[in-house]
Every structure is written in structure tokens, then in C-alpha cells.
Amino acid sequence: MITLDNIFLVGPMGAGKSTIGKQLARALHLDFVDSDREIEKRTGVDIPLIFELEGETGFRKREATVIDQLTQQNKLILATGGGAVLDKNNRSYLSGRGYIIYLQTSVDQQVKRTSRDTKRPLLKTDNPRQRLQDLMDIRDPLYREIADLVVDTDGLSVKTVTLNILKQIDSSWDNQQS
């Protein structure tokens, strides 16, 4: 049964999880939290510095703790980091505690949306496009495994994607009530 107590957004970097999440939270009168921003708030440093000091493994440990804690809250829209689904426990927390929307986007769109962003440690490579493709190859099946709803964001405005999600949630909710 669909519940709007918690909605968790998953998907790759550049899919629009934070931006769309804020709009959904406003429309549904829920709180919005971005797990990466929460990690930065709790540590007092930005994600790139965590990666530099602790590596991806250290960051993922912090991420798992934050996702466990945040998914236990109610009335929340949570935008997760693109790699959050790599951890089996995170997938379990997300699946068991809310409605999951996979914001799907193409690698081409990711490249456009992240090309000027210098705060993405996983893109500090000679070939960001290939890195994004490699990440998508690994993560896409995991996003799909836990998704209750898959929404394409390619070439669409935040407003359009948000309205599409609201319509689909409303339609699914109506079908559950029938």
C-alpha cells in the first residue's frame, strides 16, 4: 500500500534528486532532507574532504548511518546520494521504510548537469563520461530493484517532473483505495 509518510529519491548524480525533492516536499507538505547535506552538517566538512581523508569506504560508512537514522523519521522526502544503493542495508532501510522513486536520467544528461560541478569526488577523473557510464552499469539494476516508481528526468523541467510524480503517486494511491 502506498503511503506518503516517507518518500525516498534514488538515482544517479545529476538526476535532480535534491531539486525535485524540495519541490515534492513543498507540494506534499513534508520535510525535505538531502543525505549528503546531512552528512556535511554532522561532520562540519564537505563531501570531497571526507573522500580525501577517509576514502569512499569511510564516506559510505557515514552515509549508511545517516540513511538508517533518517529513514526512521516520518513525513519526510529524502534525497539519497547516487551510491547509497550500493549498500545492502541501505536498500533494506529504504525499501522497508518508505516509497521509493527512482529518478532516471541518461549518462548524456548527467554529463551536461555535472560538467561544471567541482564537488563530485567520483568525477575527478580523466574521463568523467566513462566513469558515469561505469557507475550507471553497476547502480541502475539496484535502483530498479528497490523502486516503487521509475520517473525519467531527461530534458524535463523540475516543475514537469514534479507534476508527473504527483500525478503518478495520486493515481497509484487512488488505485490502492479502490
Side-chain angles (χ1 to χ4, degrees), residues 17-18 32-39 70 77-81:
K17 297 181 299 287
S18 296
F32 172 77
V33 179
D34 177 303
S35 63
D36 285 350
R37 298 301 75 79
E38 185 66 20
I39 292 166
L70 291 175
I77 304 260
L78 173 64
T80 63

Side-chain angles (χ1 to χ4, degrees), residues 12-68:
M13 64 180 88
K17 297 181 299 287
S18 296
T19 308
I20 292 164
K22 289 174 189 173
Q23 294 297 317
L24 280 174
R26 259 183 248 155
L28 296 171
H29 308 290
L30 299 173
D31 292 328
F32 172 77
V33 179
D34 177 303
S35 63
D36 285 350
R37 298 301 75 79
E38 185 66 20
I39 292 166
E40 290 178 337
K41 186 171 120 184
R42 291 180 185 194
T43 62
V45 299
D46 65 10
I47 302 294
L49 185 57
I50 295 170
F51 265 74
E52 185 180 322
L53 297 175
E54 300 178 1
E56 185 172 359
T57 303
F59 171 75
R60 296 290 173 212
K61 285 180 185 175
R62 290 179 182 279
E63 181 179 58
T65 299
V66 165
I67 287 176
D68 180 23

Side-chain angles (χ1 to χ4, degrees), residues 4 39 70-71 74 86 91 99 130 142 152 157:
L4 296 181
I39 292 166
L70 291 175
T71 57
N74 288 313
L86 295 170
R91 293 193 307 274
Y99 185 77
Q130 186 59 53
L142 299 173
D152 188 24
S157 70

Side-chain angles (χ1 to χ4, degrees), residues 14-24 26 103 113 151-166:
K17 297 181 299 287
S18 296
T19 308
I20 292 164
K22 289 174 189 173
Q23 294 297 317
L24 280 174
R26 259 183 248 155
L103 297 182
R113 292 176 181 167
V151 177
D152 188 24
T153 68
D154 268 16
L156 300 174
S157 70
V158 171
K159 183 178 181 180
T160 299
V161 173
T162 303
L163 289 172
N164 288 346
I165 291 170
L166 291 171

Side-chain angles (χ1 to χ4, degrees), residues 73-114:
Q73 296 181 19
N74 288 313
K75 307 289 184 194
L76 179 73
I77 304 260
L78 173 64
T80 63
V85 295
L86 295 170
D87 183 282
K88 183 179 178 181
N89 290 328
N90 287 346
R91 293 193 307 274
S92 178
Y93 300 146
L94 293 165
S95 295
R97 299 174 181 168
Y99 185 77
I100 301 173
I101 301 173
Y102 170 19
L103 297 182
Q104 173 184 280
T105 193
S106 67
V107 171
D108 286 341
Q109 193 76 72
Q110 285 181 273
V111 170
K112 285 180 190 174
R113 292 176 181 167
T114 62

